[in-house]
Amino acid sequence: MQIELDGICKAFGSVQANSNISLTVESGTIHGLLGENGAGKTTLMKVLTGYISCDSGSIYLDGRLVKVGSPAVATRLGIGMLHQDPLDVPRLSVLQNFCLGSPGFLRLYRRQSRQKLLDLCQRFGFELDPDELVRNLTMGERQQLELLRLLNMGVRTIILDEPTTGISEPQRVLLFKTLHKLADDGLSIIFVSHKLKEVQELCSEVTVLRQGQVSGRIRAPFTSDALVEMMFGQCLARNQRSQVQFGAPLLRLEDAAIRSYRLDVAPFSLVVRAGEVIGLAGLEGSGQRLFMEACAGIRSLSAGHLVLGNKELSSAPYAAFRRAGVSYVPAARLEEGLIPGMTLCEHFALAYQKQGILVDWESAEVLTRTRIGDYGIVGHPDTCVEELSGGNQQRALLSLLPDELSLLLLEHPTRGLDIDSSARIWARLLERRNQGSAIIFTSTDLDELVDYADRILVFSGGIISEPVSSSEVTCEQLGYMIGGSRA
């Protein structure tokens, strides 16, 4: 099915998110959509899938003018979207989720639906048990299920938003193979991603947005430099790994074990030195978050010892970790990191309030404006945090960190950020490393792990691997290790 967007415009108050955007996706092709944070990609896809209406412009399907008034209408027209976080129901089975949204859902024959699911799994090489609860699936398996559900609903155009986040290398390879099969069957694929290598590998044509407008189109073959120049107007300097002299052991974990109601992390030992960067790799839910919470004092060890500097903190409260210079930046920005309803200025006043009951609002506003400039936050001191984009919320979280830290724990520090924003954030983080702070971070971006970590730990079902030097492993090898094998 051919998709044509003609002159799409959409504004939110004074912000022009989409300005006269025209885009054509031919049947049987995989079309890449790139752009820096705030370029208008998400808004454009929400217009196409009926989540929001455009101010002006037209949408054509196979040359026919259509009005996409809601996601349900989009589905009936054959347009479906595979979101970064799959829209499934974890407490239901694979088969029940597969049937959701299908015509005549309440009257479906279970045997026929089961057979259709199994046939689709066999066709694409997926291994899904119809009776398994979705909450027990990996992110890659949930993604596969969502893709099959869309096909079962009859969609002919599929939009994928950052689809390789949180999946292993074998699952990524299988996903790309599946997308090529679907394109060969005549489906239109729109691939939204920040990962230039994947766009080069997968897409036959790419449209790049910048500041709400189309900045360029290019057909394969194309280079990363060409895409970056269209995204930012210039080529960006490549990351150069800097060598630092590590200091004394800062964090020591000895025969440490962590227990939770869902997963237990097996006993492990680790020494992290001042100035060292440790990366945590693995599928979501493999134990990385439990590890981070234990190192931050949010969760107690079930066995073993945790020593920070010369202080035994195995059973210490969270406040003791904070006093020792430990900070934790969670992935759930609004749920755990920021406070909805409060402005940026109020966040800085809260984070940097000294003793006393009176708030120095003048100093708080000066500090807020300084940090907005330093971290490139698109907002003002009186902007409420929930009004910021995901990328700007991430920058705000990082800008709130105390000036002096011994250990910095970060969950997905650059999720949702484009390559330029990611590089700027890491430049800030590495400044702290150069001052002697140790950094431990989780990421599903294998390039980020290899580029910035000194050593990498791979998590699998609560088992932690021996540390791997990032200089001795490639992204492909790391991807296979996450999947439980080696390339």
Side-chain angles (χ1 to χ4, degrees), residues 88-100 110 113 117-118 121 127-137 141-142 144-146 148-149:
D88 52 28
V89 184
R91 292 184 177 274
L92 296 183
S93 69
V94 167
L95 180 59
Q96 289 169 327
N97 273 273
F98 174 73
C99 295
L100 288 176
R110 187 177 181 87
S113 299
L117 171 61
L118 293 174
C121 285
E127 297 180 0
L128 298 175
D129 180 354
D131 300 317
E132 183 67 73
L133 294 180
V134 167
R135 66 186 180 190
N136 297 328
L137 302 182
E141 290 169 335
R142 291 174 61 194
Q144 293 168 3
L145 173 59
E146 182 71 1
L148 295 186
R149 188 178 72 85

PDB file of all heavy atoms in Angstrom, residues 88-100 110 113 117-118 121 127-137 141-142 144-146 148-149:
ATOM      1  N   ASP A  88       0.600  -4.542  24.712  1.00  0.00           N
ATOM      2  CA  ASP A  88       0.019  -5.847  25.012  1.00  0.00           C
ATOM      3  C   ASP A  88      -0.545  -5.857  26.429  1.00  0.00           C
ATOM      4  O   ASP A  88      -0.457  -4.881  27.163  1.00  0.00           O
ATOM      5  CB  ASP A  88       1.052  -6.963  24.825  1.00  0.00           C
ATOM      6  CG  ASP A  88       2.346  -6.693  25.595  1.00  0.00           C
ATOM      7  OD1 ASP A  88       2.281  -6.003  26.636  1.00  0.00           O
ATOM      8  OD2 ASP A  88       3.421  -7.158  25.166  1.00  0.00           O
ATOM      9  N   VAL A  89      -1.151  -6.988  26.790  1.00  0.00           N
ATOM     10  CA  VAL A  89      -1.714  -7.162  28.133  1.00  0.00           C
ATOM     11  C   VAL A  89      -0.933  -8.280  28.810  1.00  0.00           C
ATOM     12  O   VAL A  89      -1.165  -9.462  28.540  1.00  0.00           O
ATOM     13  CB  VAL A  89      -3.213  -7.503  28.077  1.00  0.00           C
ATOM     14  CG1 VAL A  89      -3.797  -7.589  29.485  1.00  0.00           C
ATOM     15  CG2 VAL A  89      -3.971  -6.470  27.254  1.00  0.00           C
ATOM     16  N   PRO A  90       0.026  -7.946  29.680  1.00  0.00           N
ATOM     17  CA  PRO A  90       0.936  -8.948  30.237  1.00  0.00           C
ATOM     18  C   PRO A  90       0.251 -10.106  30.952  1.00  0.00           C
ATOM     19  O   PRO A  90       0.765 -11.223  30.966  1.00  0.00           O
ATOM     20  CB  PRO A  90       1.804  -8.131  31.208  1.00  0.00           C
ATOM     21  CG  PRO A  90       1.767  -6.741  30.655  1.00  0.00           C
ATOM     22  CD  PRO A  90       0.392  -6.583  30.106  1.00  0.00           C
ATOM     23  N   ARG A  91      -0.909  -9.878  31.550  1.00  0.00           N
ATOM     24  CA  ARG A  91      -1.571 -10.937  32.320  1.00  0.00           C
ATOM     25  C   ARG A  91      -2.354 -11.911  31.443  1.00  0.00           C
ATOM     26  O   ARG A  91      -2.843 -12.935  31.940  1.00  0.00           O
ATOM     27  CB  ARG A  91      -2.501 -10.316  33.362  1.00  0.00           C
ATOM     28  CG  ARG A  91      -1.754  -9.580  34.468  1.00  0.00           C
ATOM     29  CD  ARG A  91      -2.704  -9.069  35.533  1.00  0.00           C
ATOM     30  NE  ARG A  91      -1.969  -8.424  36.619  1.00  0.00           N
ATOM     31  CZ  ARG A  91      -1.464  -9.045  37.654  1.00  0.00           C
ATOM     32  NH1 ARG A  91      -1.612 -10.368  37.760  1.00  0.00           N
ATOM     33  NH2 ARG A  91      -0.808  -8.404  38.593  1.00  0.00           N
ATOM     34  N   LEU A  92      -2.496 -11.598  30.160  1.00  0.00           N
ATOM     35  CA  LEU A  92      -3.180 -12.504  29.244  1.00  0.00           C
ATOM     36  C   LEU A  92      -2.159 -13.381  28.530  1.00  0.00           C
ATOM     37  O   LEU A  92      -0.965 -13.096  28.509  1.00  0.00           O
ATOM     38  CB  LEU A  92      -3.999 -11.714  28.220  1.00  0.00           C
ATOM     39  CG  LEU A  92      -5.155 -10.871  28.763  1.00  0.00           C
ATOM     40  CD1 LEU A  92      -5.908 -10.215  27.622  1.00  0.00           C
ATOM     41  CD2 LEU A  92      -6.094 -11.698  29.623  1.00  0.00           C
ATOM     42  N   SER A  93      -2.654 -14.444  27.912  1.00  0.00           N
ATOM     43  CA  SER A  93      -1.770 -15.372  27.203  1.00  0.00           C
ATOM     44  C   SER A  93      -1.374 -14.807  25.850  1.00  0.00           C
ATOM     45  O   SER A  93      -1.934 -13.808  25.368  1.00  0.00           O
ATOM     46  CB  SER A  93      -2.474 -16.719  27.000  1.00  0.00           C
ATOM     47  OG  SER A  93      -3.542 -16.580  26.065  1.00  0.00           O
ATOM     48  N   VAL A  94      -0.416 -15.467  25.219  1.00  0.00           N
ATOM     49  CA  VAL A  94       0.011 -15.085  23.873  1.00  0.00           C
ATOM     50  C   VAL A  94      -1.169 -15.140  22.916  1.00  0.00           C
ATOM     51  O   VAL A  94      -1.391 -14.222  22.112  1.00  0.00           O
ATOM     52  CB  VAL A  94       1.155 -16.005  23.402  1.00  0.00           C
ATOM     53  CG1 VAL A  94       1.400 -15.839  21.904  1.00  0.00           C
ATOM     54  CG2 VAL A  94       2.431 -15.722  24.187  1.00  0.00           C
ATOM     55  N   LEU A  95      -1.945 -16.214  22.955  1.00  0.00           N
ATOM     56  CA  LEU A  95      -3.084 -16.370  22.046  1.00  0.00           C
ATOM     57  C   LEU A  95      -4.135 -15.294  22.278  1.00  0.00           C
ATOM     58  O   LEU A  95      -4.668 -14.718  21.320  1.00  0.00           O
ATOM     59  CB  LEU A  95      -3.700 -17.760  22.220  1.00  0.00           C
ATOM     60  CG  LEU A  95      -4.911 -18.072  21.331  1.00  0.00           C
ATOM     61  CD1 LEU A  95      -4.541 -17.951  19.859  1.00  0.00           C
ATOM     62  CD2 LEU A  95      -5.454 -19.463  21.639  1.00  0.00           C
ATOM     63  N   GLN A  96      -4.431 -14.985  23.541  1.00  0.00           N
ATOM     64  CA  GLN A  96      -5.424 -13.951  23.830  1.00  0.00           C
ATOM     65  C   GLN A  96      -4.971 -12.597  23.328  1.00  0.00           C
ATOM     66  O   GLN A  96      -5.758 -11.821  22.779  1.00  0.00           O
ATOM     67  CB  GLN A  96      -5.692 -13.917  25.341  1.00  0.00           C
ATOM     68  CG  GLN A  96      -6.456 -15.122  25.857  1.00  0.00           C
ATOM     69  CD  GLN A  96      -6.471 -15.198  27.368  1.00  0.00           C
ATOM     70  OE1 GLN A  96      -5.503 -14.792  28.034  1.00  0.00           O
ATOM     71  NE2 GLN A  96      -7.548 -15.717  27.944  1.00  0.00           N
ATOM     72  N   ASN A  97      -3.695 -12.275  23.500  1.00  0.00           N
ATOM     73  CA  ASN A  97      -3.165 -11.014  22.980  1.00  0.00           C
ATOM     74  C   ASN A  97      -3.183 -10.994  21.459  1.00  0.00           C
ATOM     75  O   ASN A  97      -3.463  -9.960  20.846  1.00  0.00           O
ATOM     76  CB  ASN A  97      -1.739 -10.788  23.493  1.00  0.00           C
ATOM     77  CG  ASN A  97      -1.700 -10.092  24.841  1.00  0.00           C
ATOM     78  OD1 ASN A  97      -1.720  -8.878  24.928  1.00  0.00           O
ATOM     79  ND2 ASN A  97      -1.674 -10.892  25.898  1.00  0.00           N
ATOM     80  N   PHE A  98      -2.900 -12.117  20.849  1.00  0.00           N
ATOM     81  CA  PHE A  98      -2.904 -12.214  19.392  1.00  0.00           C
ATOM     82  C   PHE A  98      -4.277 -11.861  18.817  1.00  0.00           C
ATOM     83  O   PHE A  98      -4.380 -11.240  17.757  1.00  0.00           O
ATOM     84  CB  PHE A  98      -2.499 -13.633  18.981  1.00  0.00           C
ATOM     85  CG  PHE A  98      -2.601 -13.922  17.521  1.00  0.00           C
ATOM     86  CD1 PHE A  98      -1.688 -13.386  16.620  1.00  0.00           C
ATOM     87  CD2 PHE A  98      -3.613 -14.746  17.034  1.00  0.00           C
ATOM     88  CE1 PHE A  98      -1.782 -13.650  15.259  1.00  0.00           C
ATOM     89  CE2 PHE A  98      -3.699 -15.019  15.678  1.00  0.00           C
ATOM     90  CZ  PHE A  98      -2.788 -14.475  14.790  1.00  0.00           C
ATOM     91  N   CYS A  99      -5.327 -12.238  19.536  1.00  0.00           N
ATOM     92  CA  CYS A  99      -6.688 -12.023  19.044  1.00  0.00           C
ATOM     93  C   CYS A  99      -7.206 -10.617  19.316  1.00  0.00           C
ATOM     94  O   CYS A  99      -8.202 -10.196  18.699  1.00  0.00           O
ATOM     95  CB  CYS A  99      -7.640 -13.032  19.679  1.00  0.00           C
ATOM     96  SG  CYS A  99      -7.311 -14.751  19.229  1.00  0.00           S
ATOM     97  N   LEU A 100      -6.582  -9.885  20.234  1.00  0.00           N
ATOM     98  CA  LEU A 100      -7.074  -8.556  20.589  1.00  0.00           C
ATOM     99  C   LEU A 100      -7.141  -7.640  19.366  1.00  0.00           C
ATOM    100  O   LEU A 100      -6.187  -7.544  18.593  1.00  0.00           O
ATOM    101  CB  LEU A 100      -6.173  -7.919  21.654  1.00  0.00           C
ATOM    102  CG  LEU A 100      -6.249  -8.501  23.063  1.00  0.00           C
ATOM    103  CD1 LEU A 100      -5.219  -7.820  23.958  1.00  0.00           C
ATOM    104  CD2 LEU A 100      -7.638  -8.355  23.644  1.00  0.00           C
ATOM    105  N   ARG A 110     -11.373 -20.379  19.031  1.00  0.00           N
ATOM    106  CA  ARG A 110     -10.054 -20.513  19.620  1.00  0.00           C
ATOM    107  C   ARG A 110      -9.145 -21.409  18.783  1.00  0.00           C
ATOM    108  O   ARG A 110      -7.970 -21.111  18.577  1.00  0.00           O
ATOM    109  CB  ARG A 110     -10.186 -21.080  21.045  1.00  0.00           C
ATOM    110  CG  ARG A 110      -8.889 -21.109  21.829  1.00  0.00           C
ATOM    111  CD  ARG A 110      -9.131 -21.605  23.248  1.00  0.00           C
ATOM    112  NE  ARG A 110      -7.900 -21.623  24.011  1.00  0.00           N
ATOM    113  CZ  ARG A 110      -7.426 -20.606  24.685  1.00  0.00           C
ATOM    114  NH1 ARG A 110      -8.070 -19.466  24.666  1.00  0.00           N
ATOM    115  NH2 ARG A 110      -6.303 -20.712  25.373  1.00  0.00           N
ATOM    116  N   SER A 113      -7.937 -19.547  15.621  1.00  0.00           N
ATOM    117  CA  SER A 113      -6.977 -18.490  15.950  1.00  0.00           C
ATOM    118  C   SER A 113      -5.636 -19.086  16.335  1.00  0.00           C
ATOM    119  O   SER A 113      -4.574 -18.571  15.953  1.00  0.00           O
ATOM    120  CB  SER A 113      -7.519 -17.637  17.098  1.00  0.00           C
ATOM    121  OG  SER A 113      -8.729 -17.013  16.736  1.00  0.00           O
ATOM    122  N   LEU A 117      -2.072 -18.398  14.429  1.00  0.00           N
ATOM    123  CA  LEU A 117      -0.891 -17.928  15.140  1.00  0.00           C
ATOM    124  C   LEU A 117       0.295 -18.852  14.881  1.00  0.00           C
ATOM    125  O   LEU A 117       1.412 -18.380  14.582  1.00  0.00           O
ATOM    126  CB  LEU A 117      -1.182 -17.849  16.640  1.00  0.00           C
ATOM    127  CG  LEU A 117       0.006 -17.581  17.571  1.00  0.00           C
ATOM    128  CD1 LEU A 117       0.656 -16.245  17.244  1.00  0.00           C
ATOM    129  CD2 LEU A 117      -0.431 -17.622  19.033  1.00  0.00           C
ATOM    130  N   LEU A 118       0.063 -20.153  14.961  1.00  0.00           N
ATOM    131  CA  LEU A 118       1.149 -21.106  14.743  1.00  0.00           C
ATOM    132  C   LEU A 118       1.659 -21.037  13.307  1.00  0.00           C
ATOM    133  O   LEU A 118       2.870 -21.158  13.064  1.00  0.00           O
ATOM    134  CB  LEU A 118       0.670 -22.518  15.075  1.00  0.00           C
ATOM    135  CG  LEU A 118       0.351 -22.779  16.561  1.00  0.00           C
ATOM    136  CD1 LEU A 118      -0.251 -24.164  16.739  1.00  0.00           C
ATOM    137  CD2 LEU A 118       1.610 -22.624  17.410  1.00  0.00           C
ATOM    138  N   CYS A 121       3.850 -17.973  13.032  1.00  0.00           N
ATOM    139  CA  CYS A 121       5.119 -18.209  13.719  1.00  0.00           C
ATOM    140  C   CYS A 121       6.045 -19.062  12.858  1.00  0.00           C
ATOM    141  O   CYS A 121       7.249 -18.786  12.744  1.00  0.00           O
ATOM    142  CB  CYS A 121       4.874 -18.893  15.064  1.00  0.00           C
ATOM    143  SG  CYS A 121       4.210 -17.813  16.345  1.00  0.00           S
ATOM    144  N   GLU A 127       9.249 -18.396  17.776  1.00  0.00           N
ATOM    145  CA  GLU A 127       8.965 -19.508  18.688  1.00  0.00           C
ATOM    146  C   GLU A 127       8.131 -18.996  19.860  1.00  0.00           C
ATOM    147  O   GLU A 127       8.648 -18.697  20.933  1.00  0.00           O
ATOM    148  CB  GLU A 127      10.273 -20.146  19.180  1.00  0.00           C
ATOM    149  CG  GLU A 127      11.098 -20.765  18.050  1.00  0.00           C
ATOM    150  CD  GLU A 127      12.393 -21.385  18.548  1.00  0.00           C
ATOM    151  OE1 GLU A 127      12.628 -21.313  19.780  1.00  0.00           O
ATOM    152  OE2 GLU A 127      13.148 -21.926  17.730  1.00  0.00           O
ATOM    153  N   LEU A 128       6.826 -18.890  19.648  1.00  0.00           N
ATOM    154  CA  LEU A 128       5.907 -18.391  20.654  1.00  0.00           C
ATOM    155  C   LEU A 128       4.938 -19.501  21.060  1.00  0.00           C
ATOM    156  O   LEU A 128       4.335 -20.146  20.203  1.00  0.00           O
ATOM    157  CB  LEU A 128       5.108 -17.189  20.117  1.00  0.00           C
ATOM    158  CG  LEU A 128       5.916 -15.941  19.720  1.00  0.00           C
ATOM    159  CD1 LEU A 128       5.003 -14.890  19.101  1.00  0.00           C
ATOM    160  CD2 LEU A 128       6.638 -15.355  20.929  1.00  0.00           C
ATOM    161  N   ASP A 129       4.811 -19.697  22.349  1.00  0.00           N
ATOM    162  CA  ASP A 129       3.862 -20.676  22.888  1.00  0.00           C
ATOM    163  C   ASP A 129       2.521 -19.981  23.074  1.00  0.00           C
ATOM    164  O   ASP A 129       2.419 -19.035  23.861  1.00  0.00           O
ATOM    165  CB  ASP A 129       4.381 -21.212  24.221  1.00  0.00           C
ATOM    166  CG  ASP A 129       3.440 -22.237  24.855  1.00  0.00           C
ATOM    167  OD1 ASP A 129       2.335 -22.456  24.316  1.00  0.00           O
ATOM    168  OD2 ASP A 129       3.812 -22.812  25.895  1.00  0.00           O
ATOM    169  N   PRO A 130       1.461 -20.416  22.382  1.00  0.00           N
ATOM    170  CA  PRO A 130       0.160 -19.735  22.494  1.00  0.00           C
ATOM    171  C   PRO A 130      -0.370 -19.640  23.910  1.00  0.00           C
ATOM    172  O   PRO A 130      -1.120 -18.713  24.235  1.00  0.00           O
ATOM    173  CB  PRO A 130      -0.752 -20.595  21.611  1.00  0.00           C
ATOM    174  CG  PRO A 130       0.158 -21.261  20.647  1.00  0.00           C
ATOM    175  CD  PRO A 130       1.419 -21.523  21.410  1.00  0.00           C
ATOM    176  N   ASP A 131       0.002 -20.577  24.786  1.00  0.00           N
ATOM    177  CA  ASP A 131      -0.544 -20.609  26.141  1.00  0.00           C
ATOM    178  C   ASP A 131       0.332 -19.891  27.173  1.00  0.00           C
ATOM    179  O   ASP A 131      -0.054 -19.778  28.344  1.00  0.00           O
ATOM    180  CB  ASP A 131      -0.749 -22.060  26.582  1.00  0.00           C
ATOM    181  CG  ASP A 131      -1.714 -22.798  25.664  1.00  0.00           C
ATOM    182  OD1 ASP A 131      -2.755 -22.196  25.305  1.00  0.00           O
ATOM    183  OD2 ASP A 131      -1.423 -23.943  25.283  1.00  0.00           O
ATOM    184  N   GLU A 132       1.490 -19.404  26.764  1.00  0.00           N
ATOM    185  CA  GLU A 132       2.398 -18.702  27.689  1.00  0.00           C
ATOM    186  C   GLU A 132       1.844 -17.323  28.012  1.00  0.00           C
ATOM    187  O   GLU A 132       1.276 -16.643  27.153  1.00  0.00           O
ATOM    188  CB  GLU A 132       3.778 -18.573  27.064  1.00  0.00           C
ATOM    189  CG  GLU A 132       4.827 -17.924  27.952  1.00  0.00           C
ATOM    190  CD  GLU A 132       5.164 -18.790  29.148  1.00  0.00           C
ATOM    191  OE1 GLU A 132       5.840 -19.816  28.958  1.00  0.00           O
ATOM    192  OE2 GLU A 132       4.714 -18.432  30.255  1.00  0.00           O
ATOM    193  N   LEU A 133       1.977 -16.898  29.274  1.00  0.00           N
ATOM    194  CA  LEU A 133       1.572 -15.544  29.642  1.00  0.00           C
ATOM    195  C   LEU A 133       2.565 -14.541  29.065  1.00  0.00           C
ATOM    196  O   LEU A 133       3.784 -14.762  29.098  1.00  0.00           O
ATOM    197  CB  LEU A 133       1.505 -15.395  31.159  1.00  0.00           C
ATOM    198  CG  LEU A 133       0.425 -16.219  31.883  1.00  0.00           C
ATOM    199  CD1 LEU A 133       0.490 -15.951  33.386  1.00  0.00           C
ATOM    200  CD2 LEU A 133      -0.955 -15.894  31.349  1.00  0.00           C
ATOM    201  N   VAL A 134       2.061 -13.443  28.570  1.00  0.00           N
ATOM    202  CA  VAL A 134       2.915 -12.442  27.924  1.00  0.00           C
ATOM    203  C   VAL A 134       3.925 -11.857  28.905  1.00  0.00           C
ATOM    204  O   VAL A 134       5.037 -11.498  28.519  1.00  0.00           O
ATOM    205  CB  VAL A 134       2.036 -11.330  27.302  1.00  0.00           C
ATOM    206  CG1 VAL A 134       2.868 -10.123  26.902  1.00  0.00           C
ATOM    207  CG2 VAL A 134       1.298 -11.875  26.082  1.00  0.00           C
ATOM    208  N   ARG A 135       3.569 -11.791  30.191  1.00  0.00           N
ATOM    209  CA  ARG A 135       4.497 -11.213  31.170  1.00  0.00           C
ATOM    210  C   ARG A 135       5.769 -12.043  31.313  1.00  0.00           C
ATOM    211  O   ARG A 135       6.773 -11.554  31.855  1.00  0.00           O
ATOM    212  CB  ARG A 135       3.813 -11.082  32.523  1.00  0.00           C
ATOM    213  CG  ARG A 135       3.451 -12.389  33.191  1.00  0.00           C
ATOM    214  CD  ARG A 135       2.649 -12.165  34.455  1.00  0.00           C
ATOM    215  NE  ARG A 135       2.283 -13.406  35.118  1.00  0.00           N
ATOM    216  CZ  ARG A 135       1.420 -13.485  36.124  1.00  0.00           C
ATOM    217  NH1 ARG A 135       0.854 -12.378  36.574  1.00  0.00           N
ATOM    218  NH2 ARG A 135       1.141 -14.640  36.670  1.00  0.00           N
ATOM    219  N   ASN A 136       5.765 -13.270  30.825  1.00  0.00           N
ATOM    220  CA  ASN A 136       6.945 -14.129  30.905  1.00  0.00           C
ATOM    221  C   ASN A 136       7.813 -14.061  29.648  1.00  0.00           C
ATOM    222  O   ASN A 136       8.851 -14.724  29.584  1.00  0.00           O
ATOM    223  CB  ASN A 136       6.515 -15.587  31.139  1.00  0.00           C
ATOM    224  CG  ASN A 136       5.804 -15.772  32.464  1.00  0.00           C
ATOM    225  OD1 ASN A 136       6.091 -15.079  33.430  1.00  0.00           O
ATOM    226  ND2 ASN A 136       4.863 -16.706  32.507  1.00  0.00           N
ATOM    227  N   LEU A 137       7.400 -13.277  28.661  1.00  0.00           N
ATOM    228  CA  LEU A 137       8.150 -13.176  27.411  1.00  0.00           C
ATOM    229  C   LEU A 137       9.257 -12.138  27.521  1.00  0.00           C
ATOM    230  O   LEU A 137       9.185 -11.196  28.314  1.00  0.00           O
ATOM    231  CB  LEU A 137       7.218 -12.791  26.254  1.00  0.00           C
ATOM    232  CG  LEU A 137       6.023 -13.698  25.961  1.00  0.00           C
ATOM    233  CD1 LEU A 137       5.259 -13.175  24.748  1.00  0.00           C
ATOM    234  CD2 LEU A 137       6.459 -15.141  25.730  1.00  0.00           C
ATOM    235  N   GLU A 141      10.340 -11.140  22.136  1.00  0.00           N
ATOM    236  CA  GLU A 141       9.188 -12.009  21.898  1.00  0.00           C
ATOM    237  C   GLU A 141       7.880 -11.222  21.944  1.00  0.00           C
ATOM    238  O   GLU A 141       6.960 -11.476  21.160  1.00  0.00           O
ATOM    239  CB  GLU A 141       9.174 -13.139  22.919  1.00  0.00           C
ATOM    240  CG  GLU A 141      10.299 -14.147  22.724  1.00  0.00           C
ATOM    241  CD  GLU A 141      10.429 -15.110  23.885  1.00  0.00           C
ATOM    242  OE1 GLU A 141      10.015 -14.760  25.022  1.00  0.00           O
ATOM    243  OE2 GLU A 141      10.958 -16.220  23.675  1.00  0.00           O
ATOM    244  N   ARG A 142       7.799 -10.269  22.850  1.00  0.00           N
ATOM    245  CA  ARG A 142       6.609  -9.413  22.896  1.00  0.00           C
ATOM    246  C   ARG A 142       6.484  -8.600  21.609  1.00  0.00           C
ATOM    247  O   ARG A 142       5.382  -8.393  21.097  1.00  0.00           O
ATOM    248  CB  ARG A 142       6.693  -8.470  24.100  1.00  0.00           C
ATOM    249  CG  ARG A 142       6.571  -9.171  25.443  1.00  0.00           C
ATOM    250  CD  ARG A 142       6.814  -8.213  26.588  1.00  0.00           C
ATOM    251  NE  ARG A 142       5.854  -7.136  26.599  1.00  0.00           N
ATOM    252  CZ  ARG A 142       5.994  -6.018  27.319  1.00  0.00           C
ATOM    253  NH1 ARG A 142       7.081  -5.841  28.069  1.00  0.00           N
ATOM    254  NH2 ARG A 142       5.058  -5.086  27.291  1.00  0.00           N
ATOM    255  N   GLN A 144       7.616  -9.548  18.671  1.00  0.00           N
ATOM    256  CA  GLN A 144       7.188 -10.483  17.637  1.00  0.00           C
ATOM    257  C   GLN A 144       5.683 -10.717  17.699  1.00  0.00           C
ATOM    258  O   GLN A 144       4.994 -10.744  16.675  1.00  0.00           O
ATOM    259  CB  GLN A 144       7.931 -11.808  17.799  1.00  0.00           C
ATOM    260  CG  GLN A 144       9.426 -11.728  17.519  1.00  0.00           C
ATOM    261  CD  GLN A 144      10.167 -12.974  17.954  1.00  0.00           C
ATOM    262  OE1 GLN A 144       9.571 -13.943  18.433  1.00  0.00           O
ATOM    263  NE2 GLN A 144      11.488 -12.962  17.817  1.00  0.00           N
ATOM    264  N   LEU A 145       5.167 -10.880  18.922  1.00  0.00           N
ATOM    265  CA  LEU A 145       3.727 -11.084  19.098  1.00  0.00           C
ATOM    266  C   LEU A 145       2.938  -9.884  18.603  1.00  0.00           C
ATOM    267  O   LEU A 145       1.909 -10.031  17.920  1.00  0.00           O
ATOM    268  CB  LEU A 145       3.426 -11.351  20.575  1.00  0.00           C
ATOM    269  CG  LEU A 145       1.949 -11.428  20.977  1.00  0.00           C
ATOM    270  CD1 LEU A 145       1.227 -12.524  20.206  1.00  0.00           C
ATOM    271  CD2 LEU A 145       1.812 -11.641  22.487  1.00  0.00           C
ATOM    272  N   GLU A 146       3.390  -8.683  18.929  1.00  0.00           N
ATOM    273  CA  GLU A 146       2.692  -7.476  18.490  1.00  0.00           C
ATOM    274  C   GLU A 146       2.693  -7.371  16.967  1.00  0.00           C
ATOM    275  O   GLU A 146       1.693  -6.971  16.354  1.00  0.00           O
ATOM    276  CB  GLU A 146       3.349  -6.239  19.112  1.00  0.00           C
ATOM    277  CG  GLU A 146       2.692  -4.916  18.761  1.00  0.00           C
ATOM    278  CD  GLU A 146       1.337  -4.733  19.428  1.00  0.00           C
ATOM    279  OE1 GLU A 146       0.914  -5.624  20.188  1.00  0.00           O
ATOM    280  OE2 GLU A 146       0.697  -3.700  19.182  1.00  0.00           O
ATOM    281  N   LEU A 148       2.785  -9.901  14.828  1.00  0.00           N
ATOM    282  CA  LEU A 148       1.836 -10.892  14.320  1.00  0.00           C
ATOM    283  C   LEU A 148       0.397 -10.433  14.553  1.00  0.00           C
ATOM    284  O   LEU A 148      -0.485 -10.691  13.719  1.00  0.00           O
ATOM    285  CB  LEU A 148       2.070 -12.239  15.004  1.00  0.00           C
ATOM    286  CG  LEU A 148       3.419 -12.923  14.731  1.00  0.00           C
ATOM    287  CD1 LEU A 148       3.444 -14.310  15.354  1.00  0.00           C
ATOM    288  CD2 LEU A 148       3.720 -12.998  13.248  1.00  0.00           C
ATOM    289  N   ARG A 149       0.143  -9.771  15.668  1.00  0.00           N
ATOM    290  CA  ARG A 149      -1.204  -9.271  15.942  1.00  0.00           C
ATOM    291  C   ARG A 149      -1.622  -8.229  14.910  1.00  0.00           C
ATOM    292  O   ARG A 149      -2.770  -8.235  14.419  1.00  0.00           O
ATOM    293  CB  ARG A 149      -1.262  -8.662  17.348  1.00  0.00           C
ATOM    294  CG  ARG A 149      -2.681  -8.293  17.804  1.00  0.00           C
ATOM    295  CD  ARG A 149      -2.668  -7.743  19.211  1.00  0.00           C
ATOM    296  NE  ARG A 149      -2.086  -6.412  19.260  1.00  0.00           N
ATOM    297  CZ  ARG A 149      -2.765  -5.286  19.037  1.00  0.00           C
ATOM    298  NH1 ARG A 149      -4.051  -5.342  18.739  1.00  0.00           N
ATOM    299  NH2 ARG A 149      -2.171  -4.124  19.105  1.00  0.00           N
TER     300      ARG A 149
END
